Amino acid sequence: MRKRLAAGNWKMNGTSGSLSELEALAAAHPAPSVEVLICLPATLIERASRRAEGSAIAIGGQDCHAAASGAHTGDIAATMLVDAGASAVIVGHSERRTDHAETSAHVAAKAIAAQSAGLTAIICIGETLQEREAGTTLSVLDDQLAGSLPDGADAGNTVIAYEPVWAIGTGLTPTIDQIDEVHRHLRARLAARGLADIAILYGGSVKGSNAAEIFAVEDVDGALVGGASLTAADFSPIVTALEAS
Ligand code: PGA
């Protein structure tokens, strides 16, 4: 049985006042049949972890450095996330790949750091609109997956998130057939490495109104959700849709 995961990514949103959303989410889902994770700004992780204690909501980070410690001003080590109460971390989000020029080699190094610290690494890959229109989606994803997924990854320490860059925060989503094609393809690539049981999330403009049809796709094991994860009211229906799928 593959992991089923509803993961939220608050990105650079949220201060102390926003933590009540986590409590509302926990109250709405006291015993979910799927994993529920919220990846927070670093400043909120420790407080959120305390507030979520005893609930079914897991807390994650949005990035980590590849090194264990050292002279890297402003960066956060995977062990620091663990110390603050995180159980997972997103690596290689397209916003990091773009804003911070992260390559797949960086992403693989971060994933190794995360896994060594005991975190689940959520490794993001996705094509741009230009790449999709040029018909290179699957080869771009192959390159990103091969470059970003380290040896030593397994279903316990790794999740893949397929996030078409053009669908993130735009309200646009691929067709169900396009999602099916990509997830099926990624499953085959993982299977070729003996990793068919790694969960593959879809991400990009997932909301309560489209979650059920996306989760009906066989190789979609959950979602990585940005905008619609910021409030319990928006995220809860996504959790419910995954539970029902
Ligand atoms: P979105 O973001 O749900 O706001 O499109 C998804 C993501 O970046 O993970």
Side-chain angles (χ1 to χ4, degrees), residues 204-215:
S205 297
V206 176
K207 30 188 193 291
S209 55
N210 62 14
E213 57 173 351
I214 293 171
F215 295 150

Side-chain angles (χ1 to χ4, degrees), residues 184-195:
R184 208 181 276 273
H185 179 83
L186 295 175
R187 182 75 59 210
R189 285 288 180 266
L190 290 173
R193 289 177 62 169
L195 300 171

